[in-house]
């Protein structure tokens, strides 16, 4: 670098940080890219996020905050392309990225930071052309996902696995969210351990906070019942996130004559357009339709209100590179019941801020949720622990460590 603070080309091909998380392909990665970019900019870095244009109404350049721009790159039809169709558009996308740089002075960008394997493929070309390091974050890995598939879910194709292997081989540095993800990179993708850096994501503690008017007031404002326990699932409705496990757990509670909480599903369909209708049908089949509330995803400030309104937030994912929802819920003072998988082991302190469930057996989830919802004292203790655990996560710390990774990649 010819200057003290980096100019970063941040690549997110398949999903824009401007999209609403919780539906389609928009999820925790969108939040990660936005919050990391803002934190980097607060430290003087300049960040330009390149993403694929999905609407003619999108401006070519959008300023997110001081020092952070989103650039929409035309690559294929605006609508109608599934994520699995995008490998065929990577050349087009890469050309748009390269043309942007060509209009600047030579050596404008200091580092390429790509997210997800599709972006890694485009980032590999850009970094090679510009003579700068490629720093890559996988977020999810095909081999890990395929090892924990839900019944009926489709395996990730070999083309993705090969693409991931190529990016791992070519990246100058790899950022893993947790030690577990770093282990997967090294053991399943043969990544060079010297190039793997663990940088834990953060949480926005100003937005996600226990401070509020109180649970009853939050429920009243959101139109939620005041006289029943509430379990909240917030995320994309897809087999990978396993909201079906929660529906079946409610069915187990009902079959045993135990109190059935209200389950709020806060999210939209992902992967299959029928995903939400399938979940509604499952609730009908197991006889708990009247106990399930479906609501579309909401913005960050309102999401915090939903977290505070719930007695428990459930994260039953089949695999998870981190589990940002779990940390955000804990920051609001709500205990989390999560699957004992991947990054959730880092996000949730078992027995301190929540409970980790060792499998996806609906009967076990029913017992865990039922026992916790009956025990007000334990929930209060976990709520206090949740705030303490969430306070350990910071986007500012994430940005500082990321800058260190950039510097080490440049020096190498």
């Amino acid at each position: 670098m010819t200057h003290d603070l980096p100019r970063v080309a941040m690549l997110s091909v398949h999903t824009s940080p401007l999209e609403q998380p919780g539906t389609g392909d928009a999820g925790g990665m969108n939040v990660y890219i936005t919050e990391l970019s803002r934190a980097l900019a607060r430290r003087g870095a300049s960040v330009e996020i390149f993403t694929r244009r999905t609407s003619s109404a999108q401006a070519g350049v959008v300023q997110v905050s001081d020092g952070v721009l989103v650039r929409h790159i035309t690559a294929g039809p605006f609508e109608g392309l599934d994520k699995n169709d995008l490998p065929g558009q990577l050349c087009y996308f890469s050309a748009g990225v390269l043309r942007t740089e060509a209009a600047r002075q030579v050596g404008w960008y200091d580092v390429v930071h790509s997210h997800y394997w599709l972006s890694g493929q485009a980032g590999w070309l850009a970094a090679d052309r510009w003579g700068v390091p490629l720093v890559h974050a996988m977020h999810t890995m095909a081999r890990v996902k395929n090892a924990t598939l839900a019944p009926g879910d489709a395996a990730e194709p070999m083309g993705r696995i090969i693409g991931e292997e190529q990016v791992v081989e070519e990246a100058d540095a790899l950022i893993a969210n947790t030690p577990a993800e770093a282990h997967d990179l090294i053991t399943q993708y043969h990544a060079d351990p010297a190039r793997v850096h663990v940088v834990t994501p953060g949480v926005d503690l100003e937005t996600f906070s226990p401070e509020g008017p109180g649970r009853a007031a939050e429920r009243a404002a959101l139109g939620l019942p005041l006289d029943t326990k509430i379990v909240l699932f917030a995320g994309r409705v897809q087999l990978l996130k396993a909201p079906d496990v929660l529906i079946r757990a409610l069915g187990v509670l009902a079959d045993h004559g135990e109190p059935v909480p209200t389950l709020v599903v806060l999210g939209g369909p992902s992967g299959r357009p029928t995903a939400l209708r399938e979940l509604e049908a499952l609730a009908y089949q197991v006889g708990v339709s009247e106990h399930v509330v479906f609501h579309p995803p909401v913005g960050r400030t309102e999401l915090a209100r939903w977290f505070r309104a719930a007695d428990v937030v459930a994260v039953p994912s089949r695999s998870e590179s981190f589990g940002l929802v779990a940390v955000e819920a804990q920051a609001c003072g709500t205990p989390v019941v999560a699957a004992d998988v991947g990054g959730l082991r880092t996000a949730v302190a078992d027995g301190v801020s929540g409970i980790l469930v060792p499998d996806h057996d609906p009967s076990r989830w029913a017992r865990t949720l039922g026992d916790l919802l009956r025990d007000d004292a334990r929930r209060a203790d976990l709520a206090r622990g949740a705030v303490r655990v969430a306070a350990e996560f910071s986007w500012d710390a994430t940005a500082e460590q990321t800058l260190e990774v950039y510097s080490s990649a440049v020096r190498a």
Side-chain angles (χ1 to χ4, degrees):
M1 294 186 293
T2 58
H3 40 275
D4 293 334
L5 294 165
R7 298 187 184 113
V8 184
M10 193 86 72
L11 270 59
S12 178
V13 172
H14 78 285
T15 180
S16 169
L18 302 178
E19 294 294 330
Q20 168 65 55
T23 190
D25 291 321
M29 193 180 93
N30 299 62
V31 178
Y32 179 103
I33 293 171
T34 301
E35 295 298 334
L36 172 61
S37 297
R38 285 173 170 160
L40 288 170
R42 288 195 293 270
R43 275 146 189 77
S46 176
V47 183
E48 296 183 23
I49 306 169
F50 294 81
T51 190
R52 194 179 77 87
R53 188 192 300 271
T54 56
S55 168
S56 59
Q58 290 171 330
V61 179
V62 177
Q63 183 162 355
V64 175
S65 61
D66 289 343
V68 181
L69 299 178
V70 170
R71 293 189 178 275
H72 291 111
I73 303 297
T74 299
F78 295 149
E79 299 177 357
L81 285 185
D82 183 78
K83 181 170 64 176
N84 294 327
D85 299 322
L86 294 183
Q89 303 302 318
L90 289 180
C91 181
Y92 202 171
F93 182 86
S94 300
V97 174
L98 293 176
R99 289 187 185 119
T100 300
E101 189 272 347
R104 318 296 283 270
Q105 66 186 57
V106 175
W108 183 261
Y109 298 108
D110 300 300
V111 63
V112 175
H113 189 168
S114 54
H115 299 267
Y116 193 68
W117 78 275
L118 291 169
S119 301
Q121 289 280 322
W124 172 15
L125 177 62
D128 184 68
R129 174 66 180 82
W130 300 338
V132 301
L134 171 63
V135 176
H136 181 70
M138 296 289 275
H139 293 281
T140 66
M141 289 175 271
R143 283 200 173 102
V144 175
K145 180 179 177 182
N146 287 348
T148 57
L149 281 179
D153 204 357
E156 292 297 313
M158 182 56 67
R160 173 179 171 180
I161 294 174
I162 294 171
E164 290 176 339
E165 290 175 336
Q166 292 168 338
V167 173
V168 169
E169 176 67 25
E170 295 297 329
D172 297 281
L174 294 158
I175 290 181
N177 287 330
T178 65
E181 186 180 0
H183 177 78
D184 289 335
L185 278 166
I186 294 165
T187 59
Q188 299 202 43
Y189 287 84
H190 309 294
D192 179 356
R195 292 187 289 117
V196 178
H197 307 263
V198 176
V199 179
T200 305
V203 63
D204 178 356
L205 293 174
E206 292 186 3
T207 298
F208 297 97
S209 160
E211 299 301 323
R215 179 164 289 136
E218 297 282 23
R219 288 189 181 186
L222 295 171
L224 293 172
L226 303 179
D227 57 349
T228 183
K229 294 294 192 291
I230 292 179
V231 176
L232 175 67
F233 169 90
R236 290 171 288 167
V237 177
Q238 58 178 194
L239 292 174
L240 177 67
K241 301 297 183 181
D244 58 294
V245 172
L246 302 177
I247 299 285
R248 296 183 189 279
L250 262 60
V252 172
L253 290 171
D255 289 345
H256 286 79
E258 298 184 31
V260 180
T262 295
L263 171 63
V264 176
V265 177
L266 191 66
S270 176
R272 295 191 295 196
T274 58
L276 201 57
R277 293 196 297 274
E278 291 169 7
L279 200 62
E280 292 171 339
L282 177 63
Y284 177 79
Q285 291 166 10
V286 301
V288 296
S289 291
E290 68 274 21
H291 298 288
V292 183
V293 175
F294 293 93
H295 194 285
V298 297
R300 314 296 289 157
T301 301
E302 188 172 352
L303 178 59
R305 297 178 64 192
W306 284 87
F307 285 148
R308 288 191 293 264
D311 294 285
V312 171
V313 170
V315 188
S317 305
R318 299 280 175 174
S319 68
E320 200 71 68
S321 65
F322 181 61
L324 191 57
V325 160
V327 181
E328 292 172 343
Q330 290 171 155
C332 292
T334 304
V336 172
V337 176
D340 187 9
V341 300
L344 289 169
R345 297 172 183 138
T346 297
V348 179
D350 191 24
V352 177
S353 65
I355 300 172
L356 295 176
V357 183
D359 55 34
H360 293 85
D361 177 10
S363 294
R364 191 187 299 271
W365 277 82
R367 288 195 301 274
T368 302
L369 289 170
D371 290 347
L372 184 58
L373 291 172
R374 282 192 296 270
D375 193 338
D376 294 345
R378 189 181 185 200
R379 285 201 321 281
D381 187 51
L382 290 175
R384 289 187 290 270
V387 175
R388 293 195 304 272
V389 168
E392 299 172 3
F393 297 91
S394 160
W395 285 116
D396 288 329
T398 304
E400 288 286 356
Q401 294 172 51
T402 301
L403 286 172
E404 291 173 8
V405 174
Y406 292 167
S407 295
S408 67
V410 169
R411 289 194 301 269

